[in-house]
Amino acid sequence: MDIGVGLQSRYSAVEIIDHISKEMKSKIIRQILKVSGKLSVIIDESTSLGATSTLIVYLKCEVNKELPPYFLSETVLEQLLNCLNKHGFHDDYLKENLVAFSSASASVMLGKNSGAAKKLVTKYTNIVLWHCMNHRLELALSDAVDEVSGVNNFQIFMGKLYTLYNNLPKNQRQLTECAAQLDQQVKKIGIVLSTRWVASSFRTVSVVWHSFASLYNHFSASKDDKSRSPTERAMYSGLIRRLLSSPFLMELAIMYDIVAEIALLSESLQNRNRTFVYADKLIRRCIIFIDNLKEKPGTKCLDARVVIKECNCCGITLIENITISAINPQQLLTSVTNNLKRRLFTTISSNEPKSTSGCVHTNSKQEEYDTMFKELKVLERDQRPSEKPPGFGENEIERLCQRIKLTASKIKNGYRDYLEDSSRVSKELNLLFNCIKLIPCSSVECERGFSQMNVIISATRNRITIPRVSFLMYVKLHGPTLREWNAEPYVTSWLWKYRSVDDTRTPEAQPKQIFKNDKDNIFDKF
């Protein structure tokens, strides 16, 4: 039976993907609206590989009142509210069910005068405005680099290594060969202490620490390479003097210990199920650890002291370089801890001025953070006192219910049962627990979405439109596996909308023309 070539064309394939994505999206949205699920908005902006500016919107929402929140994503170019209204979340619904808004610190998002958050809180009162904690870690570390003299020299040197091995494939290949001779494996050297997340800075510092001998061997070989220009050979000589100096080795060890702990915190905050109270606990633990490094140095600092005392590192003799000024470790650690407190113990930190006196000043956003933490910690088992007075935590529960727009009376009775027996969580109190989980600690979901977007928009598919990317991303992120997917409802709805297998935009296949030539008689013999 001739079914035509319509279903085999790219036009029909695109329409089928769009139809499946729209049907999946509409089913989830109908379920959210049916249960009047609370939701929070997480947005971020970036540029695709096709050089197109995109805004990605994630909704952390309730699809079932008894189940934890679920992430729902959509990539759009229109404004945020147009995106929400287009998918059925109108103003009346958002006024009753919008809980939180989270983003990174771009001025268009969290600007204090005309940012999206400022306009959103004016339209929808009592929502929680939240600044991505992972991005705040970057800002805190960047502030410490600007405050402490000498760290910028370390950053410049690491930036030189990045330029040297990422812009010139020849150098990366030679470094890999030097590492192979020492049975080492060199990973890619990235940018350190920049606007990237702290985990990427830690990977770069770790590569330089573990590839110390490989870097020295490559610098030495390049310095004596006659095929290179005198300027290049002089540059490698300067890199050797910097690499083998005792101050640089100690700087590298200090930064390793600091960035390793902050990177551990950053990775923990990326968990999509991380709650606000537990995130606060992780942050305070990290600050205590870094502050403790003043009295008890980290493992890498202890190793560096032994190496400097022996004046030998990996069989390479260190040299004195009086032109390099050493970093004051105490000042760096104090600056890091102060900036972590200033940046993280607040709801929004993108507009906060730096502290010049070394102390942390209190502002309205920090007071809002403290108030919200005080309200939320009464629900945590390990945050409650052993002797609880009558009415303990009930005022906080009432304020939470008012913030999230829930009925406080039924939840209060469930909370009293919860205080008597923590294993008993009533249905009403469970509603409050699920709503609290809607407050996002990080916008990492948006970053994952951008990574998926750049997988779809490849070098060979850089002209694909953003709406098409949105449909493909939705099926990729939220669609079931082929084994679990029941395609019959989608095929039925596709046919119900009078889809035709014939497509006038698809050219008909032409029969292959056979040309006779003098060699045909020879081909017959084969």
Side-chain angles (χ1 to χ4, degrees), residues 519-526:
K519 296 182 180 180
D520 288 344
N521 296 329
I522 300 178
F523 293 160
D524 293 338
K525 303 299 181 182
F526 295 151

Side-chain angles (χ1 to χ4, degrees), residues 6-18:
L7 291 177
Q8 304 174 23
S9 70
R10 64 184 180 91
Y11 303 105
S12 295
V14 164
E15 290 181 357
I16 290 172
I17 286 293
D18 294 355

Side-chain angles (χ1 to χ4, degrees), residues 455-474:
V455 170
I456 296 174
I457 306 179
S458 61
T460 57
R461 294 192 299 182
N462 58 2
R463 295 184 63 184
I464 188 170
T465 61
I466 296 301
R468 199 74 60 224
V469 175
S470 173
F471 294 133
L472 291 171
M473 283 180 59
Y474 194 90

